[in-house]
Amino acid sequence: MKRHTGQDRSVTQNWKPATQAVRGGTMRSEWGETSEAIFLTSGYAYDCAGDAAARFAGEQTGMTYSRLQNPTTEMLEHRIALLEGAEACRTMASGMAAMTAALLCQLQTGDHLVGGRAAFGSCRWLTDTLLPKFGIETTVVDARDPQQFVDAVRPNTKVFFFETPANPTMDVVDLRAVCGIARERGITTVVDNAFATPALQRPMDYGADVVAYSATKMMDGQGRVLAGAVCGTEDFVTNTLLPFTRNTGPTLSAFNAWVVLKGLETLDLRIKRQSENALKVGRFLEGRVPRVNFPGLPSHVQHELAMSQMAMAGPIFSLQLDGGRSQAHGLLDALTLIDISNNIGDSRSLMTHPSSTTHSGVAEDKRIEMGVTEGMLRLNVGLEDPEDLIADLDQALRAVGL
Ligand SMILES: *Cc1c(COP(=O)(O)O)cnc(C)c1O
């Protein structure tokens, strides 16, 4: 492998994000390929037994086994770390593998975690079900209000865990305030940045310690593979995260890493165009449905906060109908272009009914408390022409009497 300049952090960190997204992390084999190679190999051969021993002892650089290292995933890790402004990154098999690893690697029985109550369904399962099962206490708060984090802190609080904007209510968390509260108390913040990605928001710029991703969403961006990533300091990744992941194995496949590498090359272009399209679609919907939850629109109560920490509002938002599940399902069933699908971040427009899909595993009282009502729909606005999307929504709204 030739160490391309893309692997030299002293060079790559001075590049602008668009350059980092295309060239960051690149390594080249003896063939000089321009596009990154996919190394579908589980193991690596050594020139002699002494080399194998030296590599296992950490005295020689190089790869030993693809649960631990792989050239393709390493290229992706370098690229994500650069874009995030993080010292280090490790990729994972999915977003949930990333969230689970980011939390379990640093928590133990007797610790306490404070989580945002508006969250992706499986993230709520981690705070509500998995962590308590191992004697890790958890408290969920309305993360829009930084004071609630202050009030929830106990002597054993180790981690704040939240997403912003949150899936699917679009609650926005004041990153500077909440990360500041954590810093003062020696608490680690773990931010799920799947909705914004580093192209729109870099939580570490506001004091976040760990940023975790579902790279399945905007980073792949074309609905192809599952992937995740955890970013942090070199010390956190090497001494806290790696002992957990090397031995438990939530490893990203080299093939999926390659797909996400290709996705990152166009992330900036896609997320900007999709954000613009989402604003057009959101403005149309505002006049037609009782409520649109979109931090990109001035009508959102946290619009100014969102725009102070995000470059653009992103492609995802939710809306509220008054007619409950039957009207929401009716609207979905009347769509002819936009797909009924619970994925997000895709270049295709997708719409889902969270309370009967992504959040059906969250207990009803908790769902209602976080604002996921029966009349809520979530929309991922893709790269199609927004006029076609608006026409599809217009006819579907009319079909349900709106
Ligand atoms: C999708 C999603 C996840 C889970 O990611 P997977 O790649 O599906 O495992 C976690 N958090 C948020 C905010 C998500 O949208």
Side-chain angles (χ1 to χ4, degrees), residues 94-96 120 123 163 167 192 194-195 214 216-217 226-227 344:
S94 68
M96 284 323 300
F120 182 66
C123 292
E163 45 191 75
N167 187 353
D192 178 344
F195 269 40
S214 169
T216 314
K217 312 295 169 55
L226 292 176
I344 48 170

Side-chain angles (χ1 to χ4, degrees), residues 92-99 118-123 161-168 192-196 212-217 225-229 316 342-345 358-359 378:
M92 306 287 158
S94 68
M96 284 323 300
M99 303 305 153
F120 182 66
S122 295
C123 292
F161 175 47
F162 58 86
E163 45 191 75
T164 180
N167 187 353
D192 178 344
N193 199 33
F195 269 40
Y213 281 101
S214 169
T216 314
K217 312 295 169 55
V225 298
L226 292 176
I316 305 149
N342 46 280
N343 195 17
I344 48 170
T358 53
H359 288 68
R378 188 193 65 199

